[in-house]
Every structure is written in structure tokens, then in C-alpha cells.
Amino acid sequence: DLNIYSFTFVFTLLVFCCATQDVAVDSLAIALLPVHKRALCSTVQTLGLQIGFFSSSSIFLALNSVDFCNNYLRWHAASEPLLSLSHYFWFWGWLFVLFTVYLCVAFKEPAPAAPLGALAVYRQALQVIQLKPVQRLAFVLLFVKLGLIVFDAATLLILLDKGFGTSNVALFAIIDFPLQILIALFAARYSSGDRPLSPYRVAFVARIVAGVGGAVLVYFYPVGPPSFFWFALMLLGSLLYSFGSNVMFVAQGAFFARITDDSIAGTYLTLLNTISNLGGTLWKPFVLAAIDTFSTQCDGCQKSNG
């Protein structure tokens, strides 16, 4: 039986460790790169996130899907996937620990000129929040993704509800991965100048267009596994949306790296990224509640008209 308290404690500890490492890596990137190359921080971060997401999520989704394994990886069908959740957790958990130990032992980071204590860092962070430009930026970050939340929160759920299939979702991720690596490198070229947010505006429009088009496609998608025509249409919409998402992320990260304070670089970047992430998650419960309110389900089928 699942012990919810132990489960909550373990995952709270895991998220705490990941968040602490995230702050440290942000600070290390600022310390290692010269000012004129700090735009590369977001590019490296994007590449790392794409590789990490692909290896830890997409690969698992594929290898844990019986349909995907039987359709693409096996000569003979079987009832079990190639990879279980428990084995995957063990592998990545130990890899996380070993990599952290390696960084602590083998990597010598440059010593700061005037190291700050924890209280001084938090005091400076509070001063940063009180700055009027930062408050205006925080307001924009909290609301800029409001028009994108429906696509982010509901598209995959509705497609799966209509029978699109997890194996096809996994195939989407596999096709999408190499393209996103190229997109991140492409976005870095145009985000490293004096106007790093210029690609952000273009990508935002592309993402809105892809989101609206995706909503139309999801609405008219027929119940059941996709035909080649529908698979190609959904893949095209997904790639366009991912293009906008990745370019926005790279451009935003380049802008954050340009305006950060070196003395609290990791805390500064994490603060801005946290506000940005909050703007992407704060509205999801309301969107999902609205979808549940305005959706109907057919008798005898899984079709959703929301």
C-alpha cells in the first residue's frame, strides 16, 4: 500500500535537491562565461533541458508503452513494456547522486571576490523585487503565457481521451528532439545581440498561431488511432508550437543573463525563472476547471467536445 506521507517526503526532498542544484548551476554559468557571451547560458540550459527531458521522459514514455514496444521495437508482441518505472527511478536517482558528487569533488569553481552569506543574498533578492522595472517584468511574465495555457494544459489530455495513443505521443517526442536541438542553436544566434528579446516576440506570435490551429485540429480530430493524414497534421502543429516555445525560452534566458547581478547571479536568475514558470502554471487549474465545465462526453465513446 502507498504511504502518502513517505511518498510526499521523498518527493519534497527530491525537488529540494533539484532546485538547489538548479540555483548553483545558474550561478556557475554566470561565473564561467564572460559578459559578452552570457547569452549562451540560455542556449546551454535549453540544450541540457531538451536532452534531459528526452532521455528521462520521452525515452521512458516510449519504452514503458507496450504498444510502442510492440509496434516499433519487437519482432513478437508481448504484454509487458521493455522498461518499468521502478528501474527507471533507480537508474536516474543514482546517476543524479553520482554526478553531484563528481561536481563537488572534481570541479574547482572560481572563488568569488566577496562571498555573501545566505541572509545577505536574500536581502539583496528582496531589494531586487522592489525595483520598479523588475516588478513590471514580473507582471508581464505572470500574464504573457495566459493565452497559451489551454494548449499546454489540455491538448495532450484531450488527444489521449480521443484515442490518439501514448505510443504516438512518444513518437512525436522522438521526432521532435533533434529539431529542438537545432532550434536552440538557431535561436542563440539571434538572442546574443543587443536586443535578445526580438526573437521572443516573433516566436510568441508563432506559438499563438500554432496554439489556435492546434485547438481547431483537436476539436475536429476523430475518435480512435490517427490516420497518416491526422498524424502528419498534429505533428506539424506540435513542431511549430515547440519551435515558438524553445525560441521564447532561449531569448528569455539570454535577456535574464544580461540583466542579472553577478553577486547573486544564481538567486537572481532563479527568481526570474520562478516568476516565469509561475506564469505558466498559475492559471492551469482554472483552465482545466473551465474545460471540465464546458466539455461534454458522448455516451459509449471517449470523445470530448471541449
Side-chain angles (χ1 to χ4, degrees):
D1 293 337
L2 176 64
N3 188 328
I4 189 63
Y5 298 105
S6 299
F7 188 79
T8 303
F9 172 78
V10 169
F11 272 85
T12 300
L13 181 62
L14 177 62
V15 172
F16 175 80
C17 293
C18 293
T20 303
Q21 192 177 79
D22 181 62
V23 176
V25 170
D26 285 341
S27 182
L28 181 62
I30 294 296
L32 292 179
L33 293 173
V35 176
H36 65 281
K37 291 187 177 180
R38 284 186 180 173
L40 295 177
C41 290
S42 61
T43 305
V44 173
Q45 186 180 37
T46 303
L47 292 176
L49 286 173
Q50 288 294 337
I51 294 172
F53 179 80
F54 178 75
S55 58
S56 63
S57 177
S58 302
I59 289 181
F60 171 74
L61 184 64
L63 298 183
N64 190 248
S65 170
V66 176
D67 292 337
F68 184 89
C69 294
N70 290 338
N71 291 335
Y72 302 106
L73 302 178
R74 286 176 171 148
W75 293 106
H76 303 287
S79 59
E80 297 293 331
L82 290 177
L83 191 63
S84 67
L85 178 61
S86 59
H87 290 110
Y88 215 60
F89 260 116
W90 272 103
F91 174 77
W92 286 110
W94 279 111
L95 188 63
F96 181 87
V97 172
L98 292 175
F99 187 75
T100 304
V101 171
Y102 169 77
L103 283 180
C104 294
V105 174
F107 189 82
K108 303 299 181 183
E109 60 180 311
L116 298 175
L119 291 179
V121 171
Y122 284 113
R123 192 179 301 115
Q124 285 197 16
L126 289 176
Q127 293 174 355
V128 168
I129 297 176
Q130 294 172 4
L131 297 174
K132 293 297 182 182
V134 175
Q135 291 177 357
R136 290 195 292 268
L137 176 61
F139 179 82
V140 172
L141 293 175
L142 286 175
F143 290 94
V144 70
K145 298 178 183 177
L146 189 58
L148 308 171
I149 297 299
V150 174
F151 190 93
D152 290 339
T155 301
L156 181 60
L157 296 177
I158 296 177
L159 281 178
L160 292 176
D161 187 51
K162 286 189 169 186
F164 190 78
T166 57
S167 61
N168 291 312
V169 174
L171 189 57
F172 265 26
I174 293 174
I175 297 173
D176 186 62
F177 171 68
L179 295 177
Q180 297 314 312
I181 297 295
L182 296 176
I183 289 171
L185 297 175
F186 166 81
R189 178 181 178 182
Y190 295 96
S191 301
S192 56
D194 296 331
R195 300 173 65 87
L197 287 182
S198 295
Y200 186 98
R201 294 193 291 267
V202 177
F204 180 78
V205 175
R207 200 172 172 185
I208 287 290
V209 171
V212 173
V216 174
L217 290 178
V218 168
Y219 181 83
F220 288 104
Y221 179 82
V223 178
S227 63
F228 177 81
F229 173 76
W230 275 105
F231 184 89
L233 277 181
M234 299 306 299
L235 177 61
L236 182 62
S238 176
L239 292 178
L240 180 59
Y241 191 83
S242 296
F243 168 81
S245 178
N246 276 277
V247 172
M248 286 176 63
F249 185 84
V250 172
Q252 175 182 282
F255 176 71
F256 289 169
R258 284 178 65 91
I259 65 175
T260 189
D261 186 341
D262 291 1
S263 62
I264 54 169
T267 304
Y268 204 124
L269 289 177
T270 301
L271 173 65
L272 295 177
N273 284 320
T274 299
I275 296 173
S276 177
N277 293 335
L278 185 62
T281 58
L282 180 64
W283 313 111
K284 283 187 179 181
F286 303 102
V287 169
L288 292 175
I291 291 173
D292 184 61
T293 301
F294 295 105
S295 297
T296 57
Q297 186 159 345
C298 303
D299 296 332
C301 70
Q302 293 183 326
K303 182 176 181 180
S304 173
N305 294 322

XYZ file of all heavy atoms in Angstrom, residues 3-69:
510
model
N 2.203 4.655 1.069
C 2.229 5.539 2.230
C 2.365 6.966 1.721
O 3.438 7.377 1.292
C 3.397 5.166 3.154
C 3.359 5.934 4.463
O 2.914 7.072 4.516
N 3.842 5.295 5.530
N 1.288 7.721 1.753
C 1.270 9.044 1.136
C 2.233 9.987 1.828
O 2.836 10.870 1.189
C -0.170 9.607 1.135
C -0.235 10.897 0.298
C -0.636 9.854 2.556
C 0.077 10.706 -1.146
N 2.446 9.817 3.133
C 3.348 10.713 3.863
C 4.799 10.451 3.474
O 5.575 11.396 3.255
C 3.149 10.539 5.369
C 1.752 10.884 5.829
C 0.829 9.888 6.163
C 1.341 12.227 5.913
C -0.456 10.207 6.565
C 0.056 12.553 6.319
C -0.833 11.538 6.645
O -2.106 11.861 7.042
N 5.183 9.210 3.371
C 6.549 8.884 2.931
C 6.753 9.319 1.487
O 7.819 9.852 1.135
C 6.799 7.379 3.059
O 6.662 6.966 4.404
N 5.758 9.088 0.676
C 5.829 9.482 -0.735
C 6.017 10.996 -0.858
O 6.865 11.474 -1.619
C 4.530 9.035 -1.416
C 4.526 9.202 -2.903
C 5.178 8.287 -3.711
C 3.869 10.273 -3.500
C 5.174 8.427 -5.096
C 3.863 10.420 -4.875
C 4.515 9.496 -5.669
N 5.255 11.760 -0.086
C 5.353 13.217 -0.118
C 6.713 13.685 0.381
O 7.327 14.601 -0.200
C 4.237 13.846 0.739
O 2.968 13.396 0.263
C 4.299 15.366 0.672
N 7.213 13.069 1.442
C 8.517 13.460 1.991
C 9.635 13.208 0.986
O 10.499 14.067 0.775
C 8.790 12.684 3.289
C 10.184 12.885 3.816
C 10.522 14.046 4.494
C 11.160 11.919 3.620
C 11.813 14.240 4.970
C 12.450 12.103 4.095
C 12.772 13.275 4.777
N 9.620 12.041 0.358
C 10.684 11.696 -0.583
C 10.692 12.653 -1.770
O 11.746 13.154 -2.178
C 10.535 10.234 -1.050
C 11.468 9.945 -2.226
C 10.839 9.280 0.094
N 9.528 12.946 -2.322
C 9.486 13.812 -3.491
C 9.744 15.273 -3.125
O 10.289 16.024 -3.940
C 8.150 13.663 -4.215
C 8.167 12.561 -5.230
C 7.912 11.253 -4.862
C 8.462 12.827 -6.550
C 7.951 10.233 -5.792
C 8.500 11.819 -7.488
C 8.248 10.507 -7.113
N 9.366 15.687 -1.916
C 9.722 17.034 -1.467
C 11.232 17.160 -1.345
O 11.824 18.170 -1.772
C 9.068 17.340 -0.115
O 7.645 17.247 -0.243
C 9.435 18.746 0.362
N 11.883 16.151 -0.798
C 13.344 16.157 -0.693
C 13.994 16.149 -2.070
O 14.982 16.871 -2.316
C 13.809 14.946 0.121
C 15.321 14.806 0.344
C 15.853 15.998 1.123
C 15.642 13.497 1.077
N 13.439 15.376 -2.996
C 13.980 15.311 -4.347
C 13.873 16.658 -5.052
O 14.834 17.139 -5.677
C 13.241 14.232 -5.148
C 13.647 14.078 -6.619
C 15.107 13.668 -6.727
C 12.756 13.051 -7.314
N 12.709 17.303 -4.950
C 12.521 18.613 -5.581
C 13.430 19.651 -4.935
O 13.986 20.526 -5.621
C 11.040 19.036 -5.481
C 10.857 20.482 -5.949
C 10.167 18.108 -6.309
N 13.625 19.572 -3.615
C 14.530 20.494 -2.932
C 15.957 20.346 -3.459
O 16.637 21.350 -3.726
C 14.492 20.229 -1.422
C 15.485 21.046 -0.643
C 15.216 22.367 -0.319
C 16.690 20.491 -0.238
C 16.138 23.130 0.386
C 17.620 21.242 0.472
C 17.342 22.562 0.790
N 16.417 19.121 -3.624
C 17.768 18.878 -4.143
C 17.905 19.393 -5.577
O 18.914 20.030 -5.921
C 18.097 17.391 -4.075
S 18.253 16.731 -2.403
N 16.907 19.136 -6.403
C 16.957 19.598 -7.795
C 16.945 21.120 -7.868
O 17.684 21.721 -8.665
C 15.776 19.023 -8.575
S 15.824 17.226 -8.802
N 16.108 21.760 -7.023
C 16.041 23.221 -7.034
C 17.360 23.834 -6.559
O 17.825 24.839 -7.119
C 14.888 23.693 -6.153
N 17.971 23.236 -5.530
C 19.259 23.736 -5.040
C 20.331 23.614 -6.110
O 21.127 24.537 -6.337
C 19.681 22.967 -3.784
O 18.653 23.073 -2.790
C 20.981 23.509 -3.209
N 20.354 22.488 -6.785
C 21.331 22.298 -7.855
C 21.073 23.259 -9.017
O 22.020 23.751 -9.651
C 21.294 20.849 -8.348
C 22.466 20.476 -9.241
C 22.423 19.012 -9.645
O 21.682 18.644 -10.533
N 23.223 18.200 -8.984
N 19.821 23.562 -9.282
C 19.482 24.486 -10.357
C 20.043 25.878 -10.068
O 20.607 26.531 -10.960
C 17.961 24.545 -10.518
C 17.543 25.473 -11.640
O 17.909 25.196 -12.786
O 16.846 26.467 -11.370
N 19.899 26.353 -8.831
C 20.447 27.660 -8.451
C 21.966 27.656 -8.599
O 22.567 28.612 -9.111
C 20.045 28.019 -7.012
C 20.693 29.327 -6.579
C 18.533 28.115 -6.887
N 22.603 26.581 -8.144
C 24.065 26.501 -8.207
C 24.562 26.496 -9.651
O 25.562 27.147 -9.985
C 24.544 25.250 -7.470
N 23.874 25.774 -10.528
C 24.296 25.699 -11.926
C 24.122 27.054 -12.614
O 24.971 27.476 -13.418
C 23.509 24.599 -12.665
C 23.753 24.668 -14.166
C 23.923 23.222 -12.140
N 23.034 27.765 -12.304
C 22.839 29.107 -12.865
C 23.974 30.039 -12.445
O 24.518 30.795 -13.263
C 21.504 29.682 -12.405
C 20.327 29.060 -13.129
O 20.546 28.472 -14.202
O 19.196 29.158 -12.629
N 24.320 30.000 -11.173
C 25.403 30.845 -10.676
C 26.738 30.463 -11.304
O 27.552 31.334 -11.650
C 25.489 30.726 -9.147
O 26.499 31.551 -8.627
N 26.975 29.170 -11.478
C 28.224 28.703 -12.084
C 28.338 29.170 -13.533
O 29.419 29.567 -13.983
C 28.297 27.175 -12.018
C 29.554 26.516 -12.586
C 30.781 26.959 -11.803
C 29.411 24.997 -12.552
N 27.232 29.144 -14.268
C 27.259 29.581 -15.668
C 27.628 31.056 -15.772
O 28.411 31.461 -16.634
C 25.907 29.323 -16.319
N 27.066 31.884 -14.899
C 27.386 33.309 -14.905
C 28.850 33.532 -14.542
O 29.530 34.399 -15.095
C 26.472 34.073 -13.936
C 25.021 34.014 -14.424
C 26.917 35.515 -13.784
C 24.787 34.697 -15.738
N 29.370 32.729 -13.591
C 30.757 32.901 -13.155
C 31.749 32.473 -14.239
O 32.827 33.059 -14.362
C 30.998 32.092 -11.870
N 31.413 31.472 -15.027
C 32.352 30.942 -16.016
C 32.373 31.740 -17.308
O 33.423 31.847 -17.951
C 32.009 29.473 -16.323
C 32.248 28.463 -15.201
C 31.828 27.071 -15.659
C 33.711 28.455 -14.778
N 31.234 32.286 -17.715
C 31.158 32.942 -19.019
C 31.408 34.445 -18.896
O 30.899 35.084 -17.970
C 29.782 32.710 -19.649
C 29.470 31.264 -20.053
C 28.021 31.152 -20.509
C 30.404 30.792 -21.149
N 32.160 35.022 -19.830
C 32.328 36.482 -19.837
C 31.017 37.168 -20.193
O 30.075 36.540 -20.699
C 33.397 36.714 -20.911
C 33.317 35.508 -21.787
C 32.924 34.377 -20.902
N 30.976 38.473 -19.939
C 29.724 39.218 -20.105
C 29.195 39.128 -21.534
O 27.993 38.937 -21.755
C 29.940 40.698 -19.708
C 28.669 41.500 -19.959
C 30.353 40.797 -18.250
N 30.073 39.237 -22.526
C 29.612 39.259 -23.920
C 29.153 37.891 -24.428
O 28.637 37.786 -25.537
C 30.722 39.796 -24.831
C 31.947 38.920 -24.891
N 32.905 38.909 -23.899
C 32.361 38.029 -25.825
C 33.863 38.051 -24.224
N 33.550 37.504 -25.379
N 29.342 36.851 -23.612
C 28.893 35.517 -24.019
C 27.828 34.948 -23.087
O 27.524 33.763 -23.150
C 30.081 34.557 -24.079
C 31.050 34.849 -25.215
C 32.104 33.765 -25.331
C 33.027 34.019 -26.520
N 34.069 32.960 -26.649
N 27.264 35.769 -22.249
C 26.286 35.263 -21.288
C 24.983 34.815 -21.939
O 24.210 34.081 -21.335
C 26.013 36.318 -20.218
C 27.138 36.412 -19.211
C 26.792 37.332 -18.088
N 27.877 37.406 -17.131
C 27.913 38.236 -16.108
N 26.892 39.074 -15.914
N 28.935 38.247 -15.280
N 24.716 35.286 -23.138
C 23.524 34.806 -23.836
C 23.587 33.300 -24.077
O 22.559 32.644 -24.247
C 23.352 35.540 -25.164
N 24.815 32.756 -24.087
C 24.966 31.316 -24.280
C 24.451 30.514 -23.091
O 24.239 29.310 -23.205
C 26.433 30.976 -24.541
C 27.039 31.542 -25.830
C 28.518 31.199 -25.919
C 26.305 30.997 -27.047
N 24.284 31.167 -21.935
C 23.751 30.461 -20.763
C 22.406 29.824 -21.077
O 22.162 28.651 -20.757
C 23.607 31.425 -19.581
S 25.150 31.988 -18.851
N 21.524 30.609 -21.693
C 20.197 30.081 -22.003
C 20.264 28.995 -23.062
O 19.480 28.037 -23.032
C 19.286 31.218 -22.476
O 19.799 31.810 -23.651
N 21.206 29.122 -24.010
C 21.349 28.098 -25.046
C 21.793 26.778 -24.441
O 21.218 25.717 -24.728
C 22.373 28.549 -26.103
O 21.988 29.826 -26.617
C 22.433 27.551 -27.239
N 22.807 26.841 -23.587
C 23.298 25.626 -22.928
C 22.211 25.031 -22.044
O 22.009 23.809 -22.000
C 24.561 25.942 -22.111
C 24.991 24.729 -21.291
C 25.697 26.385 -23.030
N 21.482 25.910 -21.344
C 20.406 25.428 -20.480
C 19.314 24.747 -21.305
O 18.787 23.695 -20.916
C 19.827 26.593 -19.687
C 18.800 26.169 -18.637
C 18.253 27.355 -17.875
O 18.052 28.427 -18.452
N 18.000 27.191 -16.591
N 18.978 25.345 -22.439
C 17.961 24.755 -23.297
C 18.397 23.402 -23.833
O 17.611 22.435 -23.852
C 17.640 25.701 -24.468
O 17.226 26.960 -23.951
C 16.546 25.122 -25.351
N 19.641 23.308 -24.283
C 20.155 22.030 -24.776
C 20.124 20.983 -23.673
O 19.731 19.831 -23.889
C 21.580 22.210 -25.299
C 21.744 23.062 -26.565
C 23.210 23.240 -26.905
C 21.012 22.420 -27.733
N 20.553 21.387 -22.476
C 20.527 20.438 -21.360
C 19.124 19.990 -21.012
O 18.881 18.803 -20.756
N 18.174 20.940 -21.006
C 16.792 20.584 -20.697
C 16.201 19.668 -21.755
O 15.472 18.712 -21.427
C 15.949 21.856 -20.573
C 16.164 22.690 -19.312
C 15.394 24.000 -19.404
C 15.751 21.916 -18.073
N 16.500 19.953 -23.022
C 15.965 19.111 -24.094
C 16.533 17.696 -24.010
O 15.804 16.706 -24.141
C 16.294 19.726 -25.456
C 15.507 20.978 -25.784
C 14.020 20.712 -25.952
O 13.599 19.597 -26.235
N 13.219 21.740 -25.764
N 17.849 17.594 -23.801
C 18.471 16.264 -23.688
C 17.951 15.546 -22.454
O 17.629 14.350 -22.492
C 20.004 16.402 -23.643
C 20.518 16.944 -24.984
C 20.661 15.056 -23.342
C 21.993 17.291 -24.971
N 17.860 16.271 -21.335
C 17.365 15.655 -20.104
C 15.914 15.230 -20.217
O 15.538 14.134 -19.778
N 15.094 16.102 -20.808
C 13.682 15.761 -20.962
C 13.504 14.570 -21.891
O 12.698 13.670 -21.626
C 12.916 16.968 -21.502
C 11.448 16.710 -21.731
C 10.562 16.734 -20.682
C 10.968 16.435 -22.999
C 9.215 16.488 -20.880
C 9.629 16.190 -23.214
C 8.741 16.216 -22.149
N 14.267 14.570 -22.974
C 14.139 13.472 -23.933
C 14.560 12.145 -23.307
O 13.878 11.126 -23.459
C 14.995 13.770 -25.159
C 14.970 12.676 -26.191
C 13.872 12.495 -27.001
C 16.055 11.823 -26.346
C 13.834 11.487 -27.951
C 16.031 10.814 -27.284
C 14.915 10.647 -28.094
N 15.686 12.150 -22.580
C 16.202 10.905 -22.023
C 15.400 10.429 -20.819
O 15.251 9.218 -20.610
C 17.676 11.074 -21.630
O 17.824 12.128 -20.702
N 14.876 11.370 -20.034
C 14.189 10.965 -18.804
C 12.684 10.872 -18.951
O 12.020 10.231 -18.131
C 14.506 11.953 -17.675
O 14.029 13.244 -17.998
N 12.132 11.496 -19.972
C 10.676 11.468 -20.135
C 10.266 10.757 -21.417
O 9.527 9.775 -21.379
C 10.127 12.899 -20.131
O 8.740 12.898 -20.351
N 10.766 11.235 -22.545
C 10.324 10.682 -23.822
C 10.763 9.234 -24.003
O 9.990 8.389 -24.459
C 10.866 11.534 -24.972
O 10.434 12.861 -24.847
N 12.023 8.950 -23.661
C 12.501 7.571 -23.789
C 11.721 6.649 -22.861
O 11.329 5.546 -23.243
C 14.008 7.503 -23.502
C 14.786 8.156 -24.635
C 14.468 6.054 -23.325
C 16.280 8.125 -24.459
N 11.488 7.122 -21.635
C 10.704 6.290 -20.713
C 9.288 6.085 -21.224
O 8.742 4.981 -21.160
C 10.675 6.926 -19.328
C 9.705 6.245 -18.399
C 10.012 5.010 -17.862
C 8.492 6.820 -18.092
C 9.122 4.361 -17.027
C 7.599 6.190 -17.268
C 7.914 4.953 -16.726
N 8.677 7.170 -21.734
C 7.316 7.048 -22.257
C 7.249 6.030 -23.375
O 6.289 5.256 -23.476
C 6.843 8.420 -22.760
C 5.400 8.522 -23.252
C 4.436 8.266 -22.115
C 5.154 9.892 -23.870
N 8.296 6.003 -24.209
C 8.315 5.047 -25.315
C 8.547 3.621 -24.819
O 7.812 2.696 -25.167
C 9.393 5.445 -26.318
N 9.590 3.455 -23.987
C 9.950 2.102 -23.541
C 8.976 1.538 -22.504
O 8.957 0.336 -22.281
C 11.367 2.117 -22.962
C 12.479 2.518 -23.932
C 13.837 2.420 -23.250
C 12.456 1.653 -25.184
N 8.169 2.414 -21.890
C 7.180 1.945 -20.932
C 5.820 1.691 -21.575
O 4.892 1.237 -20.919
C 7.046 2.970 -19.791
C 6.221 2.470 -18.640
O 5.119 2.958 -18.384
N 6.736 1.479 -17.924
N 5.711 2.015 -22.865
C 4.462 1.791 -23.588
C 4.501 0.426 -24.273
O 5.371 0.160 -25.109
C 4.252 2.904 -24.623
O 3.187 2.593 -25.490
N 3.573 -0.422 -23.924
C 3.503 -1.750 -24.534
C 3.243 -1.630 -26.037
O 3.854 -2.331 -26.847
C 2.403 -2.598 -23.855
C 2.262 -3.949 -24.554
C 2.729 -2.805 -22.380
N 2.347 -0.706 -26.412
C 2.024 -0.527 -27.832
C 3.248 -0.072 -28.625
O 3.513 -0.577 -29.726
C 0.892 0.483 -27.991
C -0.425 -0.038 -27.456
O -0.573 -1.276 -27.377
O -1.294 0.788 -27.106
N 3.997 0.901 -28.090
C 5.173 1.393 -28.801
C 6.222 0.295 -28.944
O 6.816 0.123 -30.016
C 5.769 2.595 -28.056
C 6.933 3.233 -28.764
C 6.728 4.249 -29.674
C 8.235 2.812 -28.517
C 7.798 4.836 -30.337
C 9.307 3.386 -29.174
C 9.082 4.412 -30.086
N 6.469 -0.444 -27.871
C 7.460 -1.523 -27.919
C 7.054 -2.600 -28.920
O 7.890 -3.092 -29.695
C 7.643 -2.130 -26.531
S 8.371 -1.010 -25.316
